Amino acid sequence: MNTVELAPHRLAGLLAPAVDRVFHAGMLAGRHGGAAELGQRYGGPAATGLLVDLRTRLAAPGGTVDGPGFAAVTRHADPVTVRRAVDKHMAYGMLHRHPDGTLSATERGAAFLGELYQVHAEVTEELWAGQDERVTRLVAALGRLLTYALVLTDDDRDGSAFAALAPPHEPDGTPPGVLLLNRLGTLRHHRADSYAAAWTAAGHTASSVAALPTGPERLAIELETDRRAAGPYAALDAEERLGMLADLAALPG
């Protein structure tokens, strides 16, 4: 049977909303399934919000996120607001900021992240119950994509949100649902870097591109984002590309 060829840049564009949908479904299930309550025990969003965003690196023993990487992760937020958020996390004893701007989790922050991983394990097991084969295929495909993406970005890591948070921390025994959730989240940062490069090349800033109305200019930036985000998808053959789309579309959430 012939398989329809789906070019990497076309796949990048088609997958983006599917990746967003499944990722947000998992994170929302986490909040409703215990993550919000867990966060309150540690001080609420002012103490835990950034740790959730940076969990794929800060949960690793000795894991850090450097200053340029953190700036890339938070590029759409007001810098003053971000600095205040970091200060609050430090005041709650959850984050440590090194002299060069690198961030790491404190012992208390690491304990929170360990519990958060457990919450995500429980909620994703329930959310994607009966989808074991589909989840397994997606985890494998995403693993190949992220590995290839890291190779492609090896010489250009400064100011990359993806490079700051990849590869995701995956201790032995990490359940498939957590692997899927965190690999999807990490892949989203690869696209975010591609989007930033596209709007920067078009002469925009984070604030000006956010205000850009629907029209030819925005479409051109989206197409350029797809082109820049396409690289890792060369790691998949035509059948695997279509299969990834189908598997994401079929997952509940």
Side-chain angles (χ1 to χ4, degrees):
M1 181 177 69
N2 292 329
T3 302
V4 176
E5 178 64 31
L6 189 59
H9 71 279
R10 286 282 297 138
L11 181 64
L14 292 170
L15 271 180
V19 167
D20 285 351
R21 181 189 69 82
V22 175
F23 173 76
H24 286 306
M27 293 301 291
L28 182 62
R31 285 196 293 273
H32 291 166
E37 180 181 351
L38 168 65
Q40 288 299 325
R41 287 201 283 108
Y42 281 87
T48 62
L50 291 176
L51 283 164
V52 175
D53 293 339
L54 306 178
R55 69 191 180 283
T56 59
R57 290 311 307 143
L58 296 191
T64 61
V65 174
D66 65 21
F70 179 62
V73 172
T74 58
R75 57 169 63 96
H76 289 285
D78 173 59
V80 173
T81 302
V82 172
R83 284 196 296 272
R84 289 173 178 167
V86 173
D87 289 343
K88 289 178 181 178
H89 282 64
M90 294 172 62
Y92 277 100
M94 303 293 281
L95 272 182
H96 177 64
R97 181 169 53 202
H98 300 261
D100 64 355
T102 296
L103 299 176
S104 60
T106 63
E107 184 175 345
R108 179 175 172 81
F112 164 75
L113 289 173
E115 292 189 65
L116 181 65
Y117 265 58
Q118 182 58 42
V119 169
H120 284 166
E122 294 169 359
V123 299
T124 55
E125 181 179 15
E126 180 177 353
L127 178 63
W128 296 320
Q131 304 289 328
D132 294 358
E133 292 185 7
R134 191 165 280 120
V135 169
T136 297
R137 285 195 300 267
L138 284 168
V139 166
L142 285 162
R144 291 168 59 193
L145 291 177
L146 295 181
T147 297
Y148 194 39
L150 279 168
V151 172
L152 294 176
T153 59
D154 189 51
D155 295 328
D156 188 24
R157 300 179 66 86
D158 287 345
S160 164
F162 172 73
L165 298 180
H169 176 53
E170 299 175 349
D172 290 345
T174 301
V178 177
L179 296 178
L180 177 57
L181 181 68
N182 288 344
R183 290 183 184 187
L184 286 172
T186 308
L187 184 63
R188 292 178 76 245
H189 285 295
H190 182 271
R191 183 172 180 85
D193 287 340
S194 300
Y195 183 44
W199 52 251
T200 299
H204 281 280
T205 64
S207 58
S208 69
V209 77
L212 194 63
T214 301
E217 188 176 8
R218 175 170 288 281
L219 177 59
I221 291 172
E222 292 293 341
L223 292 175
E224 177 63 11
T225 299
D226 293 344
R227 187 189 70 79
R228 291 174 181 266
Y233 297 106
L236 305 180
D237 63 29
E239 184 175 354
E240 289 169 328
R241 294 172 194 173
L242 287 172
M244 189 173 180
L245 266 177
D247 283 336
L248 284 171
L251 279 183

